[in-house]
Amino acid sequence: MNQNPKLKGQAALVTGANSGIGEAVAIAMGNDGANVVVNYVSKPEVAQQVVDKIKAAGGNAIALHADVSKEDQVQAMFQAMYKEFGTIDILVNNAGLQQDAPFENMTLAQWQLVIDVNLTGQFLCAREATREFLRRGMVPERSAALGKIICMSSVHQVIPWAGHVNYATSKGGINLLMQSMAQELAPKKIRINSIAPGAIQTPINRSAWETPEALKSLLTLIPYNRIGQPEDIGKVAVWLASDESDYITGATIFVDGGMTLYPGFSTNG
Ligand code: BGC
């Protein structure tokens, strides 16, 4: 546990927290004093390992199952969270997946699954969290905001991505979902922001880093010349959920080693 925990006593729900970026965010928030819900849809034993890691570091966590694209499961998960931790202060809308295919071969099922989980899942969880923030009211000793929502987006909310049309569409949608919610809810003191990771070394993009050739080719897209680590995102998420960023709402923080700087133009154009 950090010496001066930034999220002391706050209840945080991280969706898709049993792997990759979600796991790192859950662990980072646990280390900063939050009571963490580690949401998962499959592999309960792996979610339990994340809970165990948080507890071993002196934090508090539970694992809760829900498919974020299913309204009844989302609502049941939030109720279970309130039973355990009383309320929610921080939602991290992280759960997401890829179903890649050349455009002409993309099935409706591949399109729909990605939109359902990546975009509709963020809507359903954000709506539940917002209802609870409004019901509960301010708790000034915990936070200057009524509640905080972090949407996990991607550099592909701005970078078009051939072969991944469903995924890029979902991330572009997250941007206006986040901004429109932020505009609507700022007067109520709910802060809503996005993190847009670049290439972070996780299972979702294993093929982009697992061979030296793939990694070399990936690094041509990253001016900072290293692949990102899940902890790079965890640190930013803690800060964005804390009162240190209290005047930030409706923003996207790109955590991408410069991937969105059009590195192809550094020697051309
Ligand atoms: C994708 C990864 C990809 C990265 C950079 C992420 O949103 O999930 O597969 O490596 O963007 O292109």
Side-chain angles (χ1 to χ4, degrees):
M1 179 86 72
N2 287 348
Q3 290 290 354
N4 289 309
K6 290 188 181 65
L7 308 176
K8 194 159 183 269
Q10 298 193 48
L13 166 59
V14 184
T15 64
N18 62 346
S19 82
I21 290 173
E23 172 178 357
V25 170
I27 290 172
M29 291 195 165
N31 280 336
D32 259 284
N35 298 316
V36 183
V37 173
V38 174
N39 158 256
Y40 66 95
V41 68
S42 61
K43 302 197 189 136
E45 66 290 350
V46 185
Q48 192 53 46
Q49 285 166 14
V50 178
V51 167
D52 293 344
K53 279 186 206 166
I54 293 171
K55 287 188 168 164
N60 188 16
I62 54 164
L64 289 177
H65 173 270
D67 174 341
V68 296
S69 70
K70 302 284 188 306
E71 186 176 34
D72 55 341
Q73 294 187 30
V74 167
Q75 291 179 332
M77 171 174 66
F78 275 79
Q79 288 310 316
M81 176 178 187
Y82 305 153
K83 258 201 189 126
E84 188 73 22
F85 296 141
T87 188
I88 183 168
D89 302 286
I90 299 161
L91 167 67
V92 184
N93 259 336
N94 170 76
L97 47 78
Q98 289 181 214
Q99 290 277 300
D100 310 328
F103 185 67
E104 65 276 22
N105 297 338
M106 189 172 283
T107 64
L108 179 58
Q110 287 174 319
W111 168 268
Q112 201 65 59
L113 179 63
V114 171
I115 298 298
D116 283 354
V117 173
N118 295 15
L119 187 55
T120 307
Q122 294 217 7
F123 158 70
L124 288 171
C125 292
R127 192 188 58 178
E128 287 316 305
T130 299
R131 286 174 175 167
E132 171 62 9
F133 299 154
L134 296 172
R135 185 205 63 77
R136 184 201 61 226
M138 279 293 210
V139 186
E141 56 278 19
R142 280 211 301 273
S143 177
L146 187 72
K148 284 91 44 156
I149 298 174
I150 297 173
C151 299
M152 206 55 74
S153 184
S154 164
V155 290
H156 298 295
Q157 76 170 35
V158 294
I159 302 178
W161 206 15
H164 308 76
V165 159
N166 47 1
Y167 183 84
T169 303
S170 73
K171 295 300 181 177
I174 287 168
N175 183 38
L176 273 171
L177 169 67
M178 179 280 289
Q179 289 181 310
S180 300
M181 292 191 299
Q183 186 193 62
E184 183 168 338
L185 297 166
K188 308 257 166 69
K189 292 271 178 284
I190 300 171
R191 291 197 300 115
I192 307 178
N193 295 287
S194 288
I195 296 174
I200 309 297
Q201 190 167 15
T202 70
I204 207 173
N205 58 0
R206 182 178 297 281
S207 63
W209 51 262
E210 72 180 345
T211 66
E213 303 74 48
L215 184 60
K216 191 165 173 243
S217 152
L218 179 66
L219 290 178
T220 64
L221 300 175
I222 308 173
Y224 205 59
N225 210 33
R226 74 165 170 88
I227 191 168
Q229 295 304 320
E231 294 70 28
D232 290 316
I233 307 299
K235 287 176 211 167
V236 175
V238 167
W239 178 78
L240 203 48
S242 78
D243 282 355
E244 287 186 5
S245 60
D246 186 54
Y247 205 48
I248 300 182
T249 193
T252 297
I253 302 188
F254 286 85
V255 186
D256 68 350
M259 196 174 233
T260 39
L261 297 174
Y262 298 98
F265 277 79
S266 57
T267 51
N268 295 309

